[in-house]
Amino acid sequence: MRNRARIEIILAGVVVVVGQACGQEPAPEVPLRGDRFDPVRSVIDETIRSHNIVSLAIAVAKDGEIVWEEAFGWADREEKRQATPHSIYAQASITKSFTATGLMLLVERGLVGLDDPVNDYLGDSGLISHVGDPAEATVRLVLQHAAGLPTHANVFFANEASAPPDRDESIRRYGFIADEPGREFVYSNFGYGILDRVISEVSGTSYAEFMKAEVFRPLGLTHTSVFVDGANKEHAVRHYDAARRVVPGLDFDHPGASAIHSSVHDLIRYGMFHLGDEIPGQERILSDSAIAMMQAASEFTMRDEALPVSLGLGWAVIDLDGTRMVNVTGGMPGTVTRLALVPSEDAAVAIMMNSGIVETYSPWDIELQAFAALIPGFPAEPVIDGDQRDAESLHEDLEGEWRGSIRTHEGELEAGLSIGDDRSLRLEIEGRSYGPIRVENPLGAARFRDGVLEGPFFGSIPTADASRSRHVLFLRLRLRGDTLKGVVSAVAMNRTFWLPYWTELRRQK
């Protein structure tokens, strides 16, 4: 399935390759055990060896029981500590499902309304709107990545001088609505950073403490926490990039999107809770109706994906050849995670790796192999050729000169865009001219579709937040009469950030 890596990146957010070099220590051999999961073990063995993966942990549940959990490789290569089902991995964007679960607790207690403006729960801080009414940016739409927030991600490493700004400052910089709420899906880690702020404002305690007291403990998730708490440090894995170099510890300005750590044993139990299974040591912290609401497909879908993907509340919903799968995935510096549920079969598969994602591989095939071993007649892996995104295309209505500004928290930057009758493109910022990126790349090509001009450009934003790393630019501007309005984003070459800045360009007569 050639397009599966793009699915991972969309669902997970940003992926980063950083760290310090280390030697190539082979992983322990994956043993076969003579049971129905041996074909999956064989795939895992090949995956670990062909993709330089340091460790992989998997757990499988069916009909309210964990029927298989096992870990392969090193939790810590340097100390030769082998991974186990209780080793703790960074969960990346699987955090979003946990955050949505915590938020639904407050909804069921009548403390948060899904269709209330999210600004009602943000105290003295709040989103501003460049387009539409901020009151239309509801809690539900933020959960569905459809509140009009632009794409955003911001990852900080323990060994760098920069640190996340406090939440109020982050909201001031990036907390703006760039498109009408409810128009369409646009992935934003910052939206879930807003939701962890809602949880803390409403509960009167920190996001980490609320999740520990109200979600992790009642569900019996003893190896799960926001970041890694002191009691579990001995179980934490080391994380490695795609070249098996150690990745430093991470921090974010959106903990509710990215900061939870867990073991594969805990994650499969979390999945079983969302399947409605009765598990010893777990409380039913949400009603069946709340769980069903979270897993219900909305009208918002991910465009350009290899399979039909709809958004629930903290979950994605996939139609796999008529089989409904509910899943959430994660990918960021040194970690790849997956949790998939097939509610009709009361089945779940959880997978995590302590190696950074690479664009040619994700554990999707391991997940499908595990379901095939579990469920007779489970759909085979779909064969999808090529990238589903459109090739470069522009519209004659855009021809001409456009002038305006890019608004940053440090001030406005003069900007312009030239579009020739030969479809040539030039972006100008503060007098410097940049062209589009035309070589094949994960951001695609410049195009105009459904009234939106988008695509990657060479160039840079001269602000302190964007100066942390070399970066390129990504435009996403909607044509509104004689004005292009939207965002120009700084996208780090090492993928540590995707920072949006409000932009308005007016056609020149």
Side-chain angles (χ1 to χ4, degrees):
M1 181 177 175
R2 293 171 55 191
N3 212 31
R4 62 188 167 208
R6 178 160 167 80
I7 295 175
E8 298 305 313
I9 291 170
I10 287 292
L11 289 177
V14 295
V15 183
V16 187
V17 178
V18 296
Q20 300 174 344
C22 59
Q24 296 294 310
E25 177 69 28
E29 183 179 352
V30 174
L32 301 182
R33 303 191 184 281
D35 61 21
R36 58 178 165 168
F37 296 111
D38 268 357
V40 191
R41 291 187 183 93
S42 294
V43 174
I44 290 171
D45 183 61
E46 171 61 25
T47 298
I48 287 175
R49 298 184 187 285
S50 61
H51 293 284
N52 263 347
I53 292 167
V54 179
S55 77
L56 185 149
I58 185 169
V60 177
K62 182 76 169 72
D63 298 328
E65 294 184 0
I66 300 175
V67 295
W68 177 38
E69 57 180 0
E70 196 167 355
F72 311 91
W74 303 114
D76 187 320
R77 289 179 64 252
E78 289 67 34
E79 296 184 1
K80 302 296 184 292
R81 177 163 53 90
Q82 288 192 281
T84 78
H86 298 287
S87 297
I88 295 173
Y89 296 71
Q91 295 302 297
S93 282
I94 286 182
T95 298
K96 294 178 176 67
S97 177
F98 280 102
T99 298
T101 298
L103 188 67
M104 288 301 291
L105 281 170
L106 299 176
V107 170
E108 291 219 291
R109 293 171 187 174
L111 299 175
V112 172
L114 283 175
D115 297 312
D116 290 345
V118 71
N119 276 351
D120 287 357
Y121 304 103
L122 292 177
D124 294 333
S125 299
L127 305 178
I128 65 169
S129 181
H130 295 295
V131 178
D133 183 350
E136 295 176 355
T138 64
V139 174
R140 187 191 303 272
L141 290 176
V142 176
L143 282 162
Q144 294 167 331
H145 297 279
L149 293 166
T151 298
H152 167 92
N154 214 3
V155 180
F156 297 80
F157 300 96
N159 63 349
E160 69 172 302
S162 300
D166 67 39
R167 191 56 53 82
D168 288 338
E169 176 62 19
S170 286
I171 293 174
R172 184 180 77 83
R173 293 182 186 183
Y174 315 115
F176 62 88
I177 296 168
D179 215 341
E180 287 87 356
R183 178 189 281 271
E184 63 181 339
F185 163 88
V186 175
Y187 192 91
S188 177
N189 283 295
F190 198 67
Y192 275 75
I194 291 291
L195 295 176
D196 78 54
R197 176 64 172 267
V198 170
I199 288 173
S200 62
E201 286 285 334
V202 173
S203 69
T205 189
S206 71
Y207 167 71
E209 285 300 318
F210 177 87
M211 295 299 292
K212 182 177 183 178
E214 302 291 345
V215 179
F216 307 149
R217 282 177 179 166
L219 293 184
L221 308 182
T222 58
H223 287 63
T224 304
S225 58
V226 178
F227 297 104
V228 178
D229 63 24
N232 280 323
K233 282 187 177 179
E234 65 180 294
H235 300 289
V237 303
R238 266 191 173 178
H239 294 92
Y240 301 84
D241 68 17
R244 293 163 69 109
R245 297 170 298 194
V246 175
V247 173
L250 305 178
D251 202 352
F252 320 88
D253 69 354
H254 43 71
S258 311
I260 287 176
H261 288 60
S262 186
S263 68
V264 78
H265 177 79
D266 276 12
L267 189 61
I268 200 70
R269 284 169 57 85
Y270 172 76
M272 294 162 73
F273 163 75
H274 275 279
L275 285 171
D277 295 329
E278 296 293 335
I279 307 299
Q282 279 195 351
E283 299 176 23
R284 299 302 300 170
I285 60 174
L286 290 179
S287 67
D288 291 344
S289 61
I291 290 174
M293 186 186 302
M294 293 179 68
Q295 297 176 18
S298 70
E299 69 270 30
F300 302 110
T301 60
M302 296 181 184
R303 301 183 65 169
D304 305 319
E305 295 312 311
L307 296 171
V309 180
S310 300
L311 274 297
L313 304 180
W315 294 93
V317 185
I318 299 174
D319 180 1
L320 186 64
D321 194 23
T323 296
R324 179 173 171 272
M325 179 183 289
V326 179
N327 84 331
V328 62
T329 70
M332 66 182 190
T335 193
V336 178
T337 54
R338 294 188 68 91
L339 174 62
L341 317 178
V342 179
S344 63
E345 299 288 342
D346 192 12
V349 174
I351 300 171
M352 49 190 67
M353 307 188 310
N354 63 341
S355 299
I357 195 171
V358 291
E359 290 183 9
T360 57
Y361 176 74
S362 81
W364 165 265
D365 53 350
I366 297 174
E367 179 181 286
L368 293 185
Q369 286 275 353
F371 277 122
L374 198 64
I375 302 168
F378 192 79
E381 180 177 0
V383 177
I384 300 171
D385 290 326
D387 194 323
Q388 304 299 304
R389 292 172 290 177
D390 295 340
E392 181 172 340
S393 61
L394 297 174
H395 195 278
E396 61 184 12
D397 287 350
L398 297 178
E399 292 175 9
E401 297 291 324
W402 304 77
R403 304 295 302 179
S405 64
I406 298 171
R407 187 180 304 177
T408 80
H409 58 282
E410 295 180 5
E412 291 194 358
L413 306 172
E414 291 186 0
L417 187 65
S418 299
I419 304 176
D421 57 9
D422 60 352
R423 304 299 190 262
S424 60
L425 286 164
R426 297 300 296 178
L427 174 66
E428 184 179 307
I429 300 176
E430 292 289 287
R432 298 189 65 178
S433 181
Y434 306 103
I437 300 174
R438 298 186 185 277
V439 297
E440 185 175 349
N441 68 89
L443 299 175
R447 62 184 176 184
F448 183 69
R449 183 178 68 179
D450 296 337
V452 175
L453 172 65
E454 65 178 11
F457 281 72
F458 295 104
S460 61
I461 298 291
T463 54
D465 54 348
S467 68
R468 292 172 48 216
S469 174
R470 292 179 58 197
H471 58 273
V472 296
L473 304 176
F474 189 83
L475 277 63
R476 192 174 197 277
L477 305 172
R478 186 176 297 279
L479 181 62
R480 301 176 185 274
D482 62 354
T483 306
L484 288 167
K485 296 183 179 182
V487 295
V488 171
S489 299
V491 182
M493 299 291 285
N494 65 1
R495 300 181 183 175
T496 53
F497 57 73
W498 185 306
L499 304 177
Y501 307 92
W502 174 250
T503 302
E504 294 187 34
L505 303 175
R506 185 172 294 275
R507 187 193 297 274
Q508 302 301 289
K509 303 298 185 184

